[in-house]
Amino acid sequence: MRVPPVEEQLAYIRKGTAEIIRESELRERLQQSAKTGKPLRVYAGFDPTAPDLHLGHTVLLRKLKHFQDLGHTVIFLIGDFTAIIGDPTGRNVTRPPLLEEEIARNATTYLDQVYKILDRDKTEVRRNTEWMGKFTAADFTRLAAKYTVSQMLEREDFHKRFQEEKPIYMHELLYPLAQGYDSFVLECDVQLGGTDQKFNLMVSREIARAYGAQNIEIVLTTPLLEGLDGSQKMSKSLGNAIGIQEPPLEMYGKLMSISDELMWRYWTLLTDATPKRIEEMQSLVTSGSLHPMQAKKDLARQIISDFHSKSAADRAEADWSKQFQKHESPDDLAVQEVLLSQISGSGETLIRVDKLLVASGLCSSGTEAQRKIKEGAVHIDNEVVDKPGLNRQPQSPFVVRLGKKMVKVRLNSA
C-alpha cells in the first residue's frame, strides 16, 4: 500500500485529536518508519465493563483505524485484568467490582463490535491477564515501588475525594500502575486514550521508564464526545447515547435530532472524512449551497453504513423521510396488537383515543394523552385527532403518530 508523506500522515492523525505528547517525537518516529518500512505500534486499552458500545466509545477506535489506514500496526488491548480493579477516572466513589464471568462475556461482545471499525485481519488483540494474571505478591510490591502516594494524589479525582474525606481504596491506586505495566509489556510507539485518561497515560510513561523501557510511548488523547443533548459526555446512564447496535432507523432518528453545531463535531470524531472535506462542507453550508439538514443526513447515512450497511442506511433515510417529512409510515413499521376492550368507549364513541395512546405505549398516562390530544399532536392515519373519541372502529391496521413517535395498531376483539 502507498504510505503517505509524513506531513500528510500527521494531518490525518491530528484530526479529532485533543493533544499529542509530544508531536515532535511522533514526527521523528513517522520519519524513521518511512525510512525503514517498519510500521509504528499503536494501542488503546478498553476495559469490558459493559456489553454494548456507543458512539462515544468509537472515537478512540476511529483514531486507531486512522493509524491502521496509514499502514501502522494497531493493538486492541482488552483490559480484562484492569476491569477487575475498576478505572477510578472521573469517579467520586469506588466502582463496584465485576465478576470475571461478566468481564469475559463483555469482552466477547466487544470484539464483535470493534471489527465494524477495525480490520479484523490487521488488528492484534491482546488481553492484560496474559501478564498481570501471572503477577505474584512480590511483582505487585515492585510495581507499587515505582510511584509515590503523593504523586498519585495529584490526580484530580483522588485529590477531590481526599479533600472531601471520601474513601480511596488501595486497589484503586493500582489501576494507573497496572495500565503503566501494560505499556511496558506492549512496547508501543503510541498509546491512545480520552482526555479524561491523561493522568493514567502519563503514569504509563513513567512506569515504562522505571522498568527500563528504551522506547517511551507517545501519548495521544481524543476529546470526549458529547451526547444528544450537546453538553454532557455521551453516556447510557444519562440517556443521551447512541448505541452502535441500535436499529438503523433508531440511530438515524437520534442523529437527525442533534444540533447543527454538534453535527460538525460528529463529522470530525465519528467519520473518516478528512479535515479538508469537512471544511468544504462547512463553507457550502455557510454560503447556502448546502442545507444543514442534508449535511446531517449525509452524516447519519455514513455512520449507519459503518455499523450496519449502506443498504440499511439508505432504508433508514427513506423511512425517516416518510415518517417525519412526508408524514408517512415506514414500510417496516411493526404492527402492535391492542385489545379492543382496553380502549372501548361508550355510546357512539367506539374508541377512546386517550386509552389507545396509553395501550400502544405512546403515552405513560391518560392525563398526558388527553393533553396531547388537546394540543393537536395526535394523528391517526395522517389525520389530526382533536376529539377524545372515535365513532368508528378501524377494520385494518392503522398508524397512530404522536410527535416523532409512531406505531401501527391492529385491534383485537378477543
Side-chain angles (χ1 to χ4, degrees):
M1 63 174 286
R2 169 186 172 270
V3 178
V6 169
E7 291 306 318
E8 189 177 322
Q9 290 190 58
L10 274 173
Y12 195 40
I13 291 168
R14 286 191 201 105
K15 179 206 168 197
T17 295
E19 189 175 9
I20 300 174
I21 306 171
R22 301 182 172 83
E23 187 173 312
S24 58
E25 294 178 16
L26 178 58
R27 179 182 281 105
E28 290 173 4
R29 294 193 196 186
L30 288 171
Q31 290 170 340
Q32 186 66 18
S33 172
K35 286 181 184 178
T36 63
K38 183 180 178 181
L40 299 187
R41 287 174 57 80
V42 183
Y43 93 96
F46 294 80
D47 289 351
T49 54
D52 299 320
L53 298 177
H54 57 62
L55 290 182
H57 296 125
T58 69
V59 174
L60 270 184
L61 292 173
R62 183 71 54 181
K63 186 52 61 182
L64 282 175
K65 180 182 183 295
H66 293 167
F67 276 99
Q68 204 168 61
D69 290 344
L70 295 170
H72 300 294
T73 301
V74 162
I75 298 95
F76 180 82
L77 176 65
I78 297 175
D80 50 354
F81 183 88
T82 40
I84 297 172
I85 301 173
D87 186 0
T89 300
R91 307 283 294 193
N92 58 9
V93 294
T94 304
R95 283 183 181 272
L98 291 175
L99 297 175
E100 292 184 27
E101 296 81 1
E102 187 179 1
I103 292 170
R105 283 196 303 272
N106 293 344
T108 300
T109 63
Y110 264 34
L111 288 178
D112 292 338
Q113 297 167 72
V114 162
Y115 290 137
K116 292 179 181 292
I117 296 182
L118 299 179
D119 187 319
R120 184 186 297 266
D121 297 328
K122 295 179 181 178
T123 303
E124 181 181 329
V125 177
R126 303 292 295 274
R127 298 170 184 260
N128 57 16
T129 48
E130 292 176 35
W131 47 89
M132 297 305 300
K134 299 173 184 176
F135 253 43
T136 64
D139 292 326
F140 272 112
T141 300
R142 282 189 284 269
L143 175 60
K146 306 296 184 185
Y147 218 70
T148 68
V149 172
S150 60
Q151 285 176 299
M152 199 65 74
L153 289 178
E154 290 174 7
R155 182 186 185 121
E156 184 179 350
D157 31 28
F158 283 160
H159 180 74
K160 185 178 179 182
R161 275 203 253 169
F162 183 77
Q163 292 294 320
E164 295 175 353
E165 298 185 0
K166 293 182 178 178
I168 303 170
Y169 290 90
M170 294 300 296
H171 74 285
E172 295 181 273
L173 304 180
L174 292 176
Y175 189 94
L177 304 182
Q179 184 172 329
Y181 196 79
D182 293 344
S183 174
F184 167 67
V185 171
L186 291 172
E187 297 182 308
C188 287
D189 295 283
V190 184
Q191 182 182 179
L192 310 185
T195 51
D196 59 342
Q197 286 285 317
K198 184 176 178 179
F199 181 88
N200 290 349
L201 297 170
M202 297 307 290
V203 172
S204 292
R205 285 167 58 99
E206 294 303 315
I207 295 299
R209 186 177 286 113
Y211 273 95
Q214 298 301 307
N215 195 31
I216 305 302
E217 68 187 17
I218 293 155
V219 163
L220 185 152
T221 61
T222 57
L224 303 181
L225 183 71
E226 296 85 355
L228 298 173
D229 53 15
S231 57
Q232 299 186 85
K233 172 185 172 183
M234 185 174 282
S235 167
K236 289 179 69 175
S237 62
L238 294 175
N240 66 355
I242 304 175
I244 68 172
Q245 297 198 104
E246 289 181 15
L249 180 56
E250 193 171 333
M251 291 182 72
Y252 194 96
K254 287 183 176 181
L255 287 164
M256 292 302 294
S257 74
I258 65 175
S259 68
D260 291 350
E261 182 181 2
L262 187 59
M263 168 181 64
W264 300 118
R265 179 88 158 164
Y266 278 33
W267 265 114
T268 299
L269 298 178
L270 299 176
T271 77
D272 296 331
T274 63
K276 182 179 179 182
R277 184 191 166 200
I278 295 171
E279 288 172 7
E280 288 172 349
M281 284 192 292
Q282 288 177 306
S283 296
L284 289 172
V285 168
T286 300
S287 67
S289 301
L290 176 66
H291 196 284
M293 179 176 283
Q294 185 57 54
K296 202 177 295 183
K297 285 182 175 181
D298 292 343
L299 170 69
R301 194 167 56 247
Q302 179 63 62
I303 291 174
I304 293 167
S305 296
D306 286 344
F307 296 108
H308 291 281
S309 67
K310 184 180 182 301
S311 60
D314 291 342
R315 188 164 57 252
E317 181 174 65
D319 284 345
W320 185 88
S321 178
K322 284 182 180 181
Q323 188 171 346
F324 300 117
Q325 290 185 293
K326 300 177 182 178
H327 302 304
E328 299 175 12
S329 59
D331 295 334
D332 60 350
L333 192 63
V335 177
Q336 183 172 335
E337 298 278 347
V338 172
L339 291 175
L340 184 59
S341 59
Q342 289 181 282
I343 61 171
S344 294
S346 59
E348 293 184 356
T349 301
L350 297 178
I351 293 176
R352 283 280 300 274
V353 180
D354 54 346
K355 291 183 178 180
L356 173 63
L357 292 172
V358 175
S360 62
L362 293 176
C363 286
S364 58
S365 68
T367 302
E368 180 190 2
Q370 291 165 14
R371 185 176 71 253
K372 295 298 182 183
I373 293 168
K374 289 180 181 178
E375 293 171 355
V378 181
H379 295 73
I380 293 182
D381 284 341
N382 287 328
E383 292 184 8
V384 177
V385 177
D386 55 5
K387 296 180 180 179
L390 292 178
N391 58 6
R392 63 187 177 89
Q393 180 179 321
Q395 300 301 313
S396 57
F398 56 97
V399 175
V400 183
R401 178 164 61 87
L402 175 60
K404 294 184 177 182
K405 296 187 289 185
M406 187 179 296
V407 64
K408 186 177 285 188
V409 174
R410 177 188 289 121
L411 297 181
N412 189 334
S413 58

